[in-house]
Amino acid sequence: MSQPGSVPLSVLDLAPVLVGQTTAEALHDSVALARAAEELGYHRYWVAEHHNAPGAASSAPAVLIGQIAAATSRLRVGSGGVMLPNHAPLVVAEQFGTLAAFHPGRIDLGLGRAPGTDPVTAQALRRAAGPLAGGDFPRQAVELLGYFDGPQDEAEAALRAVPAEGNRPEVWVLGSGLGSAELAGSLGLPFAYAHQFNAQLTVPALRAYRESFRPSAVLERPHALVAAFVLAAETAEDAERLAGPIRVAAVRTVRSGGRQNAYPTLEEAAAFHYTEQDRQIVEGFLGQQVIGDRALVRRRVAELVSAGADEFMAMTVTPDLESRVASYRILAEEVAALGSGPLAGVQRG
């Protein structure tokens, strides 16, 4: 496992849509942010899959990944993730095999089991009336991996994902619970834990992953990434102010039954009236995330890495591209400082 000061840093991007912004502008901002992240030395740039969410333009990860990979040269670019129950494994293998052929050694395929949307949209995506819980995810994951290996006998040769053969991306299992952690371990794949979704299970999930890990052809020892929401600013007051829109968005998402609308402006957020129930919602969503000045960011990231992470990934949503880039710059500087600072010796569980 990496030491806090040397842990690879990465970006998780939802292509957030702000009030008054078009989806085209949001998508172009993602490409611009990826270029900035590459200049700052970030390791991976992952885009999430969201559908029927006016606040997120990342509905087609494979397409967006291709654009970002073409606009950068060193970043690993991938999905965080592709919600596999929404897609035929054959199609996913063809898409990511094609991406890996164009950008060898730079494509990641992160797989998740959640719908990534509301039940009605999930049914429209899957064109079936089956359950939405993702119970078929392990079988689908094994099928998908098989397409990258190519046919092993004459019977398998009848169905091939031709662009996938010889063009295998780095495959990850994503999750926010113990089931996905154990699946990643049993398959011998790297595991990415979504701390931003379920902070309470971060440590148990990472432990479950390492305990269930079996060496595979692609990974000899367990390798885990932790993703969290991060908003870094020069002062705590600036961080709190910039976090206003995502706090309001969290409340409105719950109030609307899960529909993610466009992020409000700073002015709207400052004028928003929170009920006690709203404050509990915000605490549940963001209370254990990383929002603050340099000292807080350095301390909280060190704590999360020490929980058992080999890599750290940050999801940042702010009211404009400039403050997002600034947050990622501060994060990179403070994590680099951990290598020689007072927290450099933090021990990990």
Side-chain angles (χ1 to χ4, degrees):
M1 292 183 285
S2 305
Q3 292 300 313
S6 63
V7 63
L9 285 178
S10 298
V11 174
L12 176 61
D13 183 19
L14 281 67
V17 183
L18 310 176
V19 166
Q21 188 179 41
T22 66
T23 54
E25 290 170 335
L27 291 168
H28 283 285
D29 277 355
S30 288
V31 175
L33 180 61
R35 290 195 183 106
E38 183 169 78
E39 292 177 1
L40 290 169
Y42 277 76
H43 182 47
R44 305 179 195 273
Y45 195 102
W46 286 2
V47 297
E49 177 184 344
H50 288 275
H51 300 279
N52 196 28
S58 56
S59 299
V63 178
L64 184 52
I65 288 166
Q67 293 295 313
I68 291 172
T72 54
S73 60
R74 299 185 305 277
L75 274 176
R76 294 197 65 93
V77 188
S79 60
V82 163
M83 300 297 105
L84 190 53
N86 292 343
H87 310 280
L90 174 65
V91 174
V92 176
E94 291 172 336
Q95 290 175 341
F96 279 79
T98 300
L99 287 168
F102 277 114
H103 308 285
R106 294 184 56 209
I107 301 299
D108 296 337
L109 171 55
L111 301 172
R113 72 171 76 207
T117 187
D118 58 90
V120 173
T121 307
Q123 293 288 11
L125 286 165
R126 301 176 191 183
R127 309 297 295 172
L132 299 177
D136 205 29
F137 179 65
R139 182 198 62 78
Q140 290 180 306
V142 171
E143 178 187 341
L144 172 61
L145 294 173
Y147 289 123
F148 291 111
D149 295 334
Q152 304 301 305
D153 53 41
E154 188 174 339
E156 290 186 6
L159 179 59
R160 301 168 60 185
V162 175
E165 296 173 18
N167 297 306
R168 179 171 176 149
E170 188 171 290
V171 181
W172 290 66
V173 174
L174 280 56
S176 57
L178 301 182
S180 295
E182 292 169 351
L183 175 64
S186 68
L187 294 175
L189 294 176
F191 176 57
Y193 185 79
H195 178 85
Q196 76 273 20
F197 288 145
N198 193 353
Q200 289 72 26
L201 281 182
T202 301
V203 173
L206 293 175
R207 183 182 302 118
Y209 167 62
R210 295 188 184 280
E211 290 175 350
S212 63
F213 184 83
R214 301 174 186 171
S216 68
V218 297
L219 201 62
E220 293 183 358
R221 57 182 61 89
H223 188 88
L225 174 155
V226 169
F229 181 83
V230 177
L231 203 166
E234 293 296 344
T235 67
E237 293 75 17
D238 278 345
E240 291 298 311
R241 178 178 61 85
L242 291 170
I246 196 165
R247 289 193 170 100
V248 174
V251 171
R252 288 176 173 172
T253 297
V254 173
R255 286 181 179 178
S256 65
R259 184 178 177 83
Q260 184 178 336
N261 292 304
Y263 292 90
T265 64
L266 283 171
E267 293 73 21
E268 287 180 88
F272 188 81
H273 174 71
Y274 292 90
T275 66
E276 183 56 35
Q277 183 180 21
D278 293 339
R279 296 184 189 282
Q280 293 175 6
I281 291 171
V282 171
E283 178 63 24
F285 270 85
L286 298 172
Q288 296 189 54
Q289 304 305 310
V290 186
I291 302 174
D293 60 10
R294 287 177 176 270
L296 182 142
V297 168
R298 188 188 304 189
R299 182 178 70 253
R300 289 288 292 120
V301 171
E303 292 169 353
L304 287 170
V305 171
S306 299
D310 300 286
E311 301 187 28
F312 183 78
M313 178 171 279
M315 180 185 80
T316 301
V317 178
T318 66
D320 55 69
L321 178 61
E322 291 73 22
S323 56
R324 286 173 80 193
V325 172
S327 178
Y328 282 114
R329 179 180 294 110
I330 291 171
L331 174 62
E333 292 170 353
E334 292 309 308
V335 169
L338 284 170
S340 57
L343 295 176
V346 171
Q347 297 299 310
R348 297 153 54 138

